[in-house]
Amino acid sequence: MITGLYLYGIFPDKIPETLVLEGLDKQPVHSEVVDGFCFLYSEALQEKYLASRRNLLAHERVLEQTMHEGYRVLLPLRFGLVVKDWETIMSQLINPHKDQLNQLFQKLAGKREVSIKVFWDAKAELQNMMESHQELKQQRDNMEGKKLSMEEVIQIGQLIESNLLARKQAVIQAFSSELDPLAQEIVVNDTMTEEMIYNAAFLIPWESESEFGERVEMIDQKFGDRLRIRYNNFTAPYTFALLDS
């Protein structure tokens, strides 16, 4: 039973029906031009979609396949957006945000989003930090087995934390100094786990990706086994396609 229209993204140009795509619920993906904006959509068989891995991947796959076909300028819509009809889109999206939508298309023209997530082994870093700061290590070792005051516990903890933070900042600075000059915009996001120390998205010219990737590889080689780097060089520009509230 069709409950509405499931929306994937907005494009400034018409997407031809000859582009064959499969969306959620294995429904064929179509395009519809509304007031000059081209929407990719499929018929929704559910009122709400569970944010499962399968559904999320299906949503992303529609956008990425469209980009692979050369339609690179797009405003991706959040997962799970179902509307009843195109009149809803006109009244709730296009009419109040038309100028912003056009401005975002202009900003994204010729640009792509790439992202970096950097992880390290916190325990290994702590051990390495201690080995490289023998005075701090000796101070900590001398406290083992002793009954410490709260002040002493806080003091040694702060020393360890500050030195570990300095090591983290050195890693982040290595990425920032190499990658920031290639970007038009940069968004540093919150880290999501204790092991993640850097999480950033970059808006770069399409033709700069090869150089950007080479710099990521160079940084990876510099730090060796200390870091695990996740580099995503082909994704819809969610970070840089946000409407002002």
Side-chain angles (χ1 to χ4, degrees):
M1 177 180 175
I2 298 172
T3 63
L5 307 171
Y6 183 93
L7 304 181
Y8 299 91
I10 316 172
F11 294 77
D13 302 306
K14 172 70 176 177
I15 306 296
E17 290 293 333
T18 53
L19 183 60
V20 180
L21 302 169
E22 183 180 89
L24 271 72
D25 296 322
K26 297 185 178 181
Q27 293 298 298
V29 175
H30 306 284
S31 64
E32 178 76 15
V33 176
V34 182
D35 197 22
F37 298 97
C38 182
F39 289 80
L40 280 189
Y41 75 97
S42 58
E43 293 180 342
L45 305 186
Q46 306 174 48
E47 292 184 359
K48 293 184 179 180
Y49 282 88
L50 178 68
S52 65
R53 176 176 172 80
R54 181 179 64 180
N55 286 343
L56 290 168
L57 288 176
H59 181 100
E60 291 297 322
R61 188 164 54 244
V62 168
L63 296 176
E64 290 179 6
Q65 288 178 347
T66 307
M67 292 169 67
H68 273 298
E69 291 297 323
Y71 301 94
R72 296 173 171 177
V73 182
L74 76 152
L75 305 180
L77 295 170
R78 71 177 185 272
F79 171 82
L81 182 57
V82 177
V83 298
K84 291 184 178 181
D85 49 40
W86 297 114
E87 287 73 20
T88 303
I89 287 296
M90 277 296 301
S91 63
Q92 296 185 13
L93 177 61
I94 295 178
N95 286 340
H97 300 292
K98 186 173 184 177
D99 289 342
Q100 286 190 62
L101 293 172
N102 284 318
Q103 289 169 8
L104 286 172
F105 279 136
Q106 292 175 12
K107 182 180 79 170
L108 295 174
K111 306 295 190 303
R112 68 195 297 168
E113 177 174 331
V114 297
S115 64
I116 297 283
K117 292 180 174 60
V118 181
F119 304 79
W120 72 4
D121 185 326
K123 292 182 179 179
E125 283 296 322
L126 177 60
Q127 182 62 34
N128 292 336
M129 185 266 289
M130 284 297 185
E131 294 299 331
S132 62
H133 291 76
Q134 287 298 314
E135 183 178 344
L136 180 58
K137 182 176 183 296
Q138 186 65 46
Q139 185 177 353
R140 185 197 64 176
D141 292 346
N142 290 340
M143 291 182 172
E144 291 184 359
K146 295 182 179 179
K147 186 176 181 179
L148 304 177
S149 67
M150 183 59 68
E151 183 179 349
E152 289 173 320
V153 171
I154 292 174
Q155 182 182 26
I156 188 64
Q158 289 176 336
L159 285 171
I160 293 173
E161 183 179 359
S162 63
N163 279 277
L164 198 59
L165 179 60
R167 291 172 71 89
K168 181 184 298 186
Q169 291 300 324
V171 171
I172 294 172
Q173 181 58 38
F175 281 90
S176 180
S177 61
E178 287 291 336
L179 303 179
D180 287 6
L182 296 179
Q184 176 179 310
E185 288 188 26
I186 304 154
V187 174
V188 178
N189 299 300
D190 293 337
T191 53
M192 296 177 284
T193 67
E194 183 181 356
E195 303 293 301
M196 183 187 294
I197 62 172
Y198 186 55
N199 180 16
F202 302 80
L203 187 66
I204 65 173
W206 273 90
E207 63 273 13
S208 297
E209 193 283 321
S210 58
E211 180 181 357
F212 195 95
E214 289 172 0
R215 293 192 183 191
V216 173
E217 180 66 25
M218 180 186 67
I219 299 169
D220 188 26
Q221 293 177 1
K222 174 182 177 180
F223 287 100
D225 294 338
R226 282 183 62 192
L227 305 178
R228 289 182 294 113
I229 302 172
R230 293 182 185 172
Y231 173 46
N232 189 344
N233 68 347
F234 196 86
T235 184
Y238 284 97
T239 307
F240 302 100
L242 300 176
L243 290 172
D244 296 333
S245 57

